[in-house]
Amino acid sequence: MRPIFTLPLAALLLTGTACTTMPVATGEPSMVAPILTSADAVDTLSYAQPQVARVTHVALDLALDFAGKSLGGTAVLDIAARDDAEAIVLDSNGLRIDSVTDGAGNALDYEIGAMVAEGGKGAPLTIRMGDARQVRIAYRAAENAEALQWLSPAQTAGGEHPYLFSQGQAILNRTWIPTQDSPGIRQTWEARITAPKPLTVVMSGIAQGAPEDLGNGRRAFRFEMDKSVPPYLIAIAAGDIEFRALSDRTGVWSEPSMLDAAAAEVADTERMVVAAEKLYGPYRWGRYDMIVLPPAFPYGGMENPVMTFLTPTFIAGDKSLNGLVAHELAHSWSGNLVTNAVWADSWLNEGVTSYFENRILEELYGKERAEQEAALAFANIEDTLAEVGNAPGTALYQPENVDPVGSAIIYDKGAYFLRTMESIVGRERFDAWLESWFDRHAFEPATSAMMLADIRANLVRGDAALEKRLMLDEWVYGPGLPGNVARPAAGAFAEVDAAVAAYPASGPVASARWASWNSAERQRYLRGLPQEIDAAGLAAMDRSLGLTQGTNNEELFLWLNLALANRYDAVVPRTETFLANVGRRKFVAPLFATLMGEGEWGRPIARRIYARTRPSYHAVTTGTVDRIVNGS
Ligand code: BES
Ligand code: ZN
C-alpha cells in the first residue's frame, strides 16, 4: 500500500510544463503530473473533476473468474485533493460496488449517478471521502464488461485453456477499474492478480518477482507501474502463454504453439528500439515486451506500456507487416510519454506515432520501403478526401460534435503534417525539435494548442516567413489537405502503378512479377485495380496469383473485399473462415459492409455469417459491425 499524502492546491492547479515532485513518507520522490485547466483540455467523456480531487495511484487486488467470465476484488485509490474537497468523482460503467471505505476501513457514503449508455460514458461514482485521501472500493466488473474479452478454449490456438485480455483505449477501462478514466489524469498503479493454474498473467507494468502459489489451485501475480500513465494504458492478459527473450530488454509472449512464429516475426524489435532512441531520445520504460494475442483481439496493436498487445494477423512469415511493431513502439514516446489530454487531440498520439513509425522503418529497412509506406498512407488520405470532401471531420483536431471520418485523418494526415514540417525546416532541425517536445512534456498530457505553441516557441522562433510556409493552423484546425503538403515521391510504386494501368488491356500481372513484389507493392496493386472486375477476370487473377490461398492477411483482406464487391461466389467460403477466425475490426467491419452493400446477393451472406461469428468478437468489433449488419 502506498502512503497517504496530500497535495497542495497550487500543485493541483498547475498548468505549466514541469512535474510536481511530492515528497512521500518513504522519502522517495513521486511525480504527480499536472492537470491541464484550459477549456480545450476538459474531458467531456469523463465525469472526473480533477481540479477538485484526483486519483494519483491505483492499487488493484483482483481475482480472475473464468467460469463466471468476470473479475472482482478491491481498488485502493490515493487521492490528491483541495483541502476543502469532500468528494471525489470517478468513472464507472457497469461495476457492481460492494463497499467503499477509507484507508482505515471506515465506511464511506457513495452514489452512482445517472448512466449514459450511449458512447460508453457510463455513470459517475461519487465518493464522500471527507478528510480521507485514500479510498478502498470493493467491486466486481460486469460479465459483459466491454474492455474485457473472455475467450473459450476453442478461441485459442491451444484449444485447452481459456484466455482473457483487456482493451482500455479509449474509455473502456471504466468497465473494470473504478478510477478517473481520462487521458489527462495520469496515475501510477500496482496490481495483485490471482488466476487459476496453469494460466499466466501479464500486465502493462513490470512483473514483481515470481508468481506466488496460493495452494488452492491458483497463483498470484504482482505488477507495478511506477511512472504515471493515463489510465487507458492499464491492461491485462491471461492465458496459457510462454515468454521468449529477444534481447536483454525485449521479448515476446504468446501461446506455446505460436511462439516460434511470433518470435521470428518480431525478431527486429531490439533494432527498432535502438533506432527509435537514436531518433528521439532514450526509451524510458525499462523493458519492451510484446504479447501476440488470439485472433479475437479487435485491433492490430495496442501500445500498452512495457507490454504491447498485438494481433496474430500481422504474422506473415516474412516480417512484411512489422510496421505494426514500429508503430506501437513509437507510442512509447508519442502517446505514452506525451499523451493527448482529451480524445479530440487523438492525432497527437496517432499522427505523431505514424510519422515516427515511418522514420523507424526508414532506419531499419531504408528509404525505399519507408517511401512506399508513406505513399500508401497518402493514398488513404486521398481516398478519404475523395469520399467525404472537405468535411469538418477532415481536420486533425476532432472535437466531439464533429463526425469522425476514419483513420486516414488522425493517422495519415497527422503524419503528413509532421512530414511537411520536416521537409520545410530540414530533418536535422525538425528532429531536434521533436525530441525536445517529447522531453519538455514527458509524462504529461498535451493539447493541439500546446503543440502549436511549442512549435512557434521552439521551431519558428519569430521567423515570419517560416510561420507562413508551415501553415500550422490550417493543418490542425482546417479541413482537407493544406497546399504545402510534402507529397510522397512519385516513383515509389512506379512498376506497380504501370501494372495497374495495364490491367484493362493486358489482364493481371504475371505471377513471377507478383512473386517478386513486397507486401506494400502487392497491397498497392490490389487497391489500384478497377473496382469492377467480372467473374472471369477475378478467376483468372486468382488462378495466376493464388490470392484466396494467400497467408498475408492485409493482402487477403484486400482481395476478399474486391471479390465480394463484385459478387464473386468463389470467395465466400474463404470469407467465412476468415470472419470466423479473425476479430480485428479493421478487417471484419469492411468485409461485412461490402457484403451489406451487395443487396440481395450479399445481405443474406452477411447476416448468415454474422449470426455465426458474432459471439467470437470483442465488443469493439461487435459495436461497429452491429450497426453495419443490423443497421442499429
Ligand atoms: N492506439 C491504437 C489503437 C486504438 C486506437 C485503440 C484508438 C482504441 C482507440 C494503436 O496504436 C493503433 O494505432 N493500432 C493500429 C496499428 C497501426 C496503425 C499500425 C491498428 O490497430 O490497426
Ligand atoms: Zn497507434
Side-chain angles (χ1 to χ4, degrees), residues 167 169 299-303 324 327-328 331 350 411 584:
Q167 165 60 40
Q169 196 181 5
Y299 290 106
M302 180 64 213
E303 64 271 25
L324 177 66
H327 179 97
E328 305 312 336
H331 273 305
E350 299 302 342
Y411 285 76
R584 185 175 175 186

Side-chain angles (χ1 to χ4, degrees), residues 518-576:
N518 66 24
S519 187
E521 290 167 329
R522 292 172 176 195
Q523 290 175 47
R524 173 77 165 202
Y525 183 75
L526 291 168
R527 283 162 169 248
L529 287 171
Q531 307 226 343
E532 281 177 33
I533 301 181
D534 64 17
L538 291 167
M541 183 152 29
D542 199 15
R543 252 195 323 276
S544 160
L545 308 182
L547 297 167
T548 305
Q549 266 54 261
T551 52
N552 180 303
N553 287 304
E554 296 282 352
E555 296 164 24
L556 178 61
F557 161 74
L558 290 172
W559 160 247
L560 294 176
N561 209 224
L562 173 69
L564 293 173
N566 287 284
R567 306 190 178 191
Y568 184 53
D569 287 299
V571 298
V572 172
R574 183 71 188 94
T575 302
E576 187 161 355

